[in-house]
Amino acid sequence: MQTQHPVIVVGAGPSGLSTALFLAERGCAVTVLERNEVFPSDPRAATFHPPTMEILAPSGVTEELHRRGIVGPNWQNRDREKGVICEFDLGVLSGETPYPYRLQCEQHKFVAILREKLADQPLVTVISDVDVTRVAQGSAGVSVETNKGAFRASYVVGADGGRSVVRKSAGISFEGFTYQERFLVITTTHDFSANGYAVSNYVSDPVEWAALFQVPGNGAGPLWRVVFPTRPEESEADLLSFENARRHLKAFMPKEDGYEVVHTNLYTVHQRVAGTFRKDRLLLVGDAAHVNNPLGGMGMNFGIHDAANLAPKLAAVLLDGADDAILDRFDRQRRFAATKFLQAMTIQNKQALEETDQEAREARQQQLRETAADPVLAKAHLMRTSMIEGYRASLAVE
Ligand SMILES: Cc1cc2nc3c(=O)[nH]c(=O)nc-3n(C[C@H](O)[C@H](O)[C@H](O)COP(=O)(O)OP(=O)(O)OC[C@H]3O[C@@H](n4cnc5c(N)ncnc54)[C@H](O)[C@@H]3O)c2cc1C
């Protein structure tokens, strides 16, 4: 099958649809190929950081996210035994960004917003139910093999998630590691804000840490997601049972009338970065290029930042005859940020939560208290954890 479009994006998740939108806004025609016919609505990412809201604002997506989302002006560090250690007020970022807060909105709603925007975009065609099985490139273009026949394009963007066929076809490495323990994500109707919790909370504990955050839900009031680590020997069926989920929540915070659980999800967590984000006519964005644990809510944001970096460069090559060496700059900029910020910070976030050495844990908590209490230190901490520092640093890479 021949596509008239110079770019094929494989994968209609957050990264692929963002790439398509940003390319089309620059006048570049795109075909998006997506395996699923129905878009998944299971709980995945839900946090939007300031640079992501800035990136998505010109397309009108940020406004839509605000309409459907919840603003989190601050977040808490807690100890499971001692309670609140400190609270960070994102308001200190007000001189740096028009969005000095986190916005909570479920990933599937974000994908729906992107699809609505793309429906009005004559330059973008999204084709569902197409499974890409292999990509092969030559000097003149790329052939994309699928269950519905072959497509051709000048460039292919692999936005096809952690198991990316595009990355594997190109023989690009995906170095890193997989955590032994999976993460259990429980969604409950219990409103933890009644117990003094902020919209996002990180609770350290040497045995069972937790992360709690609020999401808007589907009209019947906000929901809360609680993330716990699990033991490798625990069976999937046991872990996913609502009874187990209620037990976990009760052990975390006793509650006389019990918890209403609406969803459980078990999630294998990796820390990996692709050896390159560009191989000639193949480019990688999002989870296809990097995967990380969800502590800090950065993975989906980072994929959108990849898209925002790549789209103007690829459009310049295709529409303005720019030297394609600028695509190597995309690789250098985004791989630098993925390694030095995304991987470093998410690995550190998990280590801080699970620290078993009491002295080290207390020293870390004291440091957090002092950081939160000092406006200069707090701002530096929030610049980093809100992804502003990493995003800006990536743009400075030549
Ligand atoms: C189960 C699960 C739970 C998660 N939970 C959290 C969380 O709690 N917090 C957090 O921050 N992050 C979480 N994440 C990570 C977050 O969802 C990702 O970072 C984000 O989805 C990345 O977006 P993406 O577009 O790069 O990839 P994806 O969202 O994976 O999208 C890839 C798309 O490509 C399509 N595709 C794949 N292969 C092919 C193919 N061969 N042919 C055609 N189409 C293909 C897929 O169907 C999919 O639509 C979770 C991820 C998963 C899988």
Side-chain angles (χ1 to χ4, degrees), residues 10-17 33-36 39-40 42-47 107 111 130-134 146 158-166 185 213 225 227 265-268 285-301 303-304:
V10 182
S15 311
L17 293 178
L33 303 179
E34 166 58 45
R35 166 192 286 161
N36 285 333
F39 285 85
D42 57 327
R44 297 193 181 181
T47 301
Q107 176 173 328
V111 167
V130 176
D131 197 354
V132 172
T133 49
R134 203 173 83 95
T146 79
D160 48 344
R163 295 181 184 157
S164 171
V165 166
V166 176
V185 186
F213 53 96
R225 295 213 193 130
V227 185
N265 185 18
L266 201 56
Y267 170 29
T268 303
V285 295
D287 277 19
H290 41 74
V291 282
N292 55 275
N293 78 60
L295 299 169
M298 296 184 185
M300 178 180 65
N301 288 263
I304 300 162

Side-chain angles (χ1 to χ4, degrees), residues 175-208:
E175 294 297 324
F177 63 90
T178 301
Y179 290 107
Q180 252 201 328
E181 73 271 35
R182 289 165 295 178
F183 286 14
L184 175 65
V185 186
I186 302 172
T187 308
T188 174
T189 54
H190 177 69
D191 181 7
F192 284 90
S193 62
N195 308 100
Y197 283 77
V199 171
S200 305
N201 312 269
Y202 302 100
V203 186
S204 63
D205 189 78
V207 179
E208 188 185 63

Side-chain angles (χ1 to χ4, degrees), residues 98-255:
Y99 308 102
Y101 46 80
R102 289 178 172 191
L103 188 82
Q104 297 294 115
C105 183
E106 295 92 338
Q107 176 173 328
H108 69 91
K109 293 181 189 163
F110 171 55
V111 167
I113 294 169
L114 292 174
R115 287 189 61 105
E116 284 161 22
K117 295 281 172 204
L118 290 174
D120 298 333
Q121 253 299 348
L123 289 174
V124 178
T125 308
V126 181
I127 313 178
S128 305
D129 203 16
V130 176
D131 197 354
V132 172
T133 49
R134 203 173 83 95
V135 295
Q137 59 176 328
S139 54
V142 189
S143 169
V144 179
E145 291 169 24
T146 79
N147 60 336
K148 301 274 169 75
F151 292 74
R152 280 195 67 77
S154 300
Y155 285 89
V156 167
V157 180
D160 48 344
R163 295 181 184 157
S164 171
V165 166
V166 176
R167 188 189 67 237
K168 288 177 187 166
S169 294
I172 297 171
S173 65
F174 205 35
E175 294 297 324
F177 63 90
T178 301
Y179 290 107
Q180 252 201 328
E181 73 271 35
R182 289 165 295 178
F183 286 14
L184 175 65
V185 186
I186 302 172
T187 308
T188 174
T189 54
H190 177 69
D191 181 7
F192 284 90
S193 62
N195 308 100
Y197 283 77
V199 171
S200 305
N201 312 269
Y202 302 100
V203 186
S204 63
D205 189 78
V207 179
E208 188 185 63
W209 53 262
L212 291 84
F213 53 96
Q214 204 179 11
V215 294
N218 288 323
L223 298 172
W224 283 76
R225 295 213 193 130
V226 187
V227 185
F228 293 113
T230 64
R231 291 193 305 279
E233 66 275 16
E234 290 175 288
S235 86
E236 183 161 338
D238 287 348
L239 285 169
L240 288 173
S241 79
F242 280 17
E243 199 189 323
N244 170 68
R246 280 191 287 269
R247 220 179 15 246
H248 259 85
L249 291 173
K250 251 184 128 168
F252 178 76
M253 195 179 79
K255 184 170 177 290

Side-chain angles (χ1 to χ4, degrees), residues 175-177 179 270-273 289-293 298 302 337-349:
E175 294 297 324
F177 63 90
Y179 290 107
H270 315 267
Q271 300 282 166
R272 296 181 186 275
V273 180
H290 41 74
V291 282
N292 55 275
N293 78 60
M298 296 184 185
F302 205 90
T339 312
K340 298 279 183 235
F341 289 89
L342 182 66
Q343 293 296 316
M345 287 163 67
T346 51
I347 290 172
Q348 200 186 359
N349 286 347

